[in-house]
Amino acid sequence: MNIITIPVTAFAQNCRIIICQQSNQAAIIDPGGDVNKLVEQITQLKVTLIAVYLTHGHLDHVAAAKALSELYMIDIIGPHQDDQFWFDALPLQAQMFGLETISPFYPTRWLQHNDSLELGGLCFEVKHCPGHTPGHVIFYERNTAKLIVGDVIFQGSIGRTDFPQGNSVQLLASIQSHILILDDSVEILPGHGSNTTVGIERKTNPFISGQFG
Ligand SMILES: [Zn+2]
Ligand SMILES: [Zn+2]
């Protein structure tokens, strides 16, 4: 697996192009904006883009999804349908976040907990992790031990829960059941900031190690 990280929008959201090197197939995860920059990268990499995956419905994670799906004639997959209200509210989100205006769109396919997505020789297990948003999903590639977590957990922090339908108890439960159960060596790729590992967060993240009660 080859992973290219491209920070997009004023929020430096980590859009990622995930490539299966055997098949040269790629998926783009959370294309939150800056379409031209993303297209340039895809062209340079000479990969076959087969899908857009979305972790949740926040604008800085989804704003370029529709344009890419039309340009490459590919599906938009995820998140869980509990995030539908965030897609209904895309124009309002643009106002809220001070980003470019956008028309609402919806994924081609909503995801369910324990779905799996094949990308060439890679297989992503889908885990429904509500809390930051109710329909947030994360993607786990077991063979390469990579976990793409969107805004569920960050290096030394966790996702905000002060948005509509955010829930801090649910978020901590999601982290416990779907992230902390994994091996220490699993690499965590968050939607903002640096990569980390399950082991590092287990030991040092103040929001989950009990230091903050
Ligand atoms: Zn978010
Ligand atoms: Zn975000």
Side-chain angles (χ1 to χ4, degrees):
M1 176 182 342
N2 188 13
I3 300 174
I4 314 291
T5 301
I6 308 148
V8 293
T9 79
F11 298 93
Q13 197 279 118
N14 290 324
C15 171
R16 291 193 164 92
I17 300 173
I18 311 276
I19 303 157
C20 162
Q21 283 149 312
Q22 294 155 18
S23 63
N24 208 35
Q25 291 187 343
I28 190 159
I29 305 189
D30 286 0
D34 303 337
V35 185
N36 294 340
K37 194 168 156 183
L38 300 178
V39 170
E40 214 171 279
Q41 272 286 347
I42 295 160
T43 310
Q44 267 177 27
L45 289 164
K46 297 189 172 69
V47 292
T48 307
L49 198 66
I50 65 156
V52 176
Y53 298 165
L54 301 178
T55 60
H56 66 296
H58 281 160
L59 188 64
D60 60 319
H61 293 252
V62 310
K66 179 78 175 157
L68 293 173
S69 81
E70 286 174 357
L71 194 59
Y72 294 95
M73 293 183 291
I74 53 176
D75 288 346
I76 301 172
I77 300 174
H80 186 282
Q81 192 163 10
D82 288 354
D83 262 15
Q84 184 170 335
F85 75 104
W86 278 118
F87 288 84
D88 297 333
L90 280 174
L92 193 69
Q93 288 197 62
Q95 280 177 24
M96 257 170 71
F97 293 119
L99 295 171
E100 228 175 287
T101 53
I102 182 168
S103 329
F105 70 89
Y106 297 92
T108 323
R109 173 184 161 197
W110 299 109
L111 288 170
Q112 304 282 343
H113 185 62
N114 285 336
D115 275 349
S116 57
L117 298 171
E118 280 177 21
L119 173 68
L122 304 172
C123 180
F124 292 92
E125 297 168 32
V126 175
K127 302 293 168 192
H128 183 203
C129 286
H132 174 67
T133 68
H136 201 302
V137 295
I138 63 174
F139 302 102
Y140 180 41
E141 215 288 320
R142 194 174 287 272
N143 289 325
T144 52
K146 305 276 191 227
L147 186 65
I148 292 141
V149 297
D151 289 354
V152 170
I153 188 169
F154 305 106
Q155 185 191 60
S157 187
I158 57 172
R160 287 174 62 169
T161 52
D162 56 336
F163 292 119
Q165 296 190 42
N167 183 319
S168 58
V169 173
Q170 234 178 13
L171 180 64
L172 287 170
S174 292
I175 292 170
Q176 285 292 343
S177 348
H178 303 307
I179 298 178
L180 296 182
I181 53 151
L182 301 173
D183 285 349
D184 280 353
S185 59
V186 171
E187 191 177 14
I188 294 176
L189 294 87
H192 305 266
S194 309
N195 293 355
T196 180
T197 67
V198 170
I200 290 171
E201 296 316 305
R202 194 195 311 282
K203 281 191 212 82
T204 63
N205 191 312
F207 295 90
I208 56 178
S209 63
Q211 293 176 41
F212 283 4

